[in-house]
Amino acid sequence: MISLRIIARLLEYPDADLWQQRQDMLDALEQADELPLRQSAQLMAFIGDFWQSELLDRQEQYTELFDRGRSLSLLLFEHVHGESRDRGQAMVDLLAQYREVGLALDCRELPDFLPLYLEYLTLREPPAARDGLRDIAPILTLLAARLRQRGSDYALLLELLLTLAACEPSSAAVAAKVAEEARDDTPQALDAVWEEEQVRFLADKGCAPAAQAAHQRRFAGAVAPQYLNLDAARAKGER
């Protein structure tokens, strides 16, 4: 799936190599037929606009979006398991799937990094690739809504993935819920996370429970990660 491969590349951190691939992507899209004509034109327009900025500006934008806070993390299991122990087993299971198709991992990225997962799907047959996209559709919907709320053009890429999965590219219910979320990329929210980690460390050293409870009340709502139950979402979609 050519369109899927291109979207995966555009969701990676912009580097010098990407900056040399603009025309190659446009030429490849002219031969692709996975997306409807309108969405294919939108992707071409995204590529055209993307390269209007300087590389350093795009790198800064990418970091501000995806590397500050958890709500826009491109690590899939962040939105499902958080920091629970289940995340480790999920990583192991995903690595096994990668090995089955001969995908060799770059040690710089975790297996649940979205562009890496998309690359894995490009190595499978189209029906299996679409099923793989449907498996993560709730995460894609959530990320798209959050990106739209922040006025980011990256939202289009997530919506196009939903189109490839034959899923509804937007959800009013999700958008409404996202509108009520506390931002986790503000200086105050990032400071709250840092202070929370400090409290956990002190608690391990015998910090009074009352002090920890007071701190948690102080920062309640400052960071609002939303963990998804993919099994429940999948069952709902099957009905």
Side-chain angles (χ1 to χ4, degrees):
M1 300 178 74
I2 296 173
S3 301
L4 182 57
R5 187 178 297 276
I6 290 173
I7 294 171
R9 185 68 179 96
L10 290 170
L11 283 170
E12 294 180 10
Y13 179 77
D15 56 21
D17 288 340
L18 176 62
W19 233 240
Q20 306 300 319
Q21 296 171 359
R22 175 180 178 275
Q23 192 57 50
D24 291 340
M25 287 185 176
L26 292 173
D27 292 343
L29 274 177
E30 290 183 356
Q31 308 301 319
D33 60 0
E34 303 95 356
L35 286 169
L37 185 59
R38 178 173 176 271
Q39 281 75 18
S40 182
Q42 289 177 328
L43 182 53
M44 287 186 176
F46 176 94
I47 293 171
D49 292 341
F50 193 85
W51 269 262
Q52 294 300 312
S53 303
E54 295 293 331
L55 175 57
L56 288 176
D57 292 337
R58 277 295 179 182
Q59 290 174 335
E60 181 180 4
Q61 179 190 27
Y62 187 96
T63 300
E64 288 292 316
L65 279 173
F66 301 119
D67 294 340
R68 288 171 62 91
R70 296 175 174 176
S71 64
L72 287 177
S73 174
L74 294 182
L75 297 175
L76 296 170
F77 295 148
E78 171 60 43
H79 304 284
V80 182
H81 303 299
E83 298 178 0
S84 72
R85 294 182 179 180
D86 292 338
R87 188 171 186 171
Q89 185 58 52
M91 293 279 197
V92 171
D93 295 341
L94 190 56
L95 281 169
Q97 294 179 44
Y98 290 171
R99 283 194 292 269
E100 289 178 0
V101 298
L103 179 60
L105 297 192
D106 187 323
C107 62
R108 294 176 299 177
E109 296 295 353
L110 292 171
D112 62 334
F113 184 50
L114 177 57
L116 182 58
Y117 179 74
L118 297 179
E119 182 180 349
Y120 155 71
L121 294 183
T122 66
L123 300 176
R124 307 191 67 190
E125 294 297 320
R130 282 190 287 272
D131 287 343
L133 287 173
R134 292 189 189 105
D135 287 342
I136 62 168
I139 301 174
L140 299 177
T141 303
L142 183 63
L143 289 173
R146 286 172 173 166
L147 287 165
R148 281 293 176 201
Q149 184 195 44
R150 299 189 190 188
S152 172
D153 52 359
Y154 274 104
L156 174 67
L157 300 183
L158 281 298
E159 291 166 354
L160 292 179
L161 291 175
L162 289 166
T163 298
L164 289 172
C167 294
E168 181 64 35
S170 62
S171 168
V174 172
K177 191 167 187 176
V178 165
E180 298 175 354
E181 288 181 338
R183 290 280 293 264
D184 69 349
D185 62 335
T186 64
Q188 295 83 358
L190 293 171
D191 286 346
V193 172
W194 181 82
E195 291 193 37
E196 181 66 25
E197 292 300 322
Q198 289 294 99
V199 165
R200 289 178 184 172
F201 173 78
L202 291 173
D204 291 339
K205 298 298 184 181
C207 180
Q212 183 176 5
H215 174 87
Q216 290 172 340
R217 288 195 298 271
R218 178 185 174 193
F219 292 106
V223 181
Q226 178 173 322
Y227 299 119
L228 301 172
N229 184 337
L230 293 186
D231 290 335
R234 190 178 301 116
K236 182 178 179 181
E238 290 173 353
R239 289 200 298 267

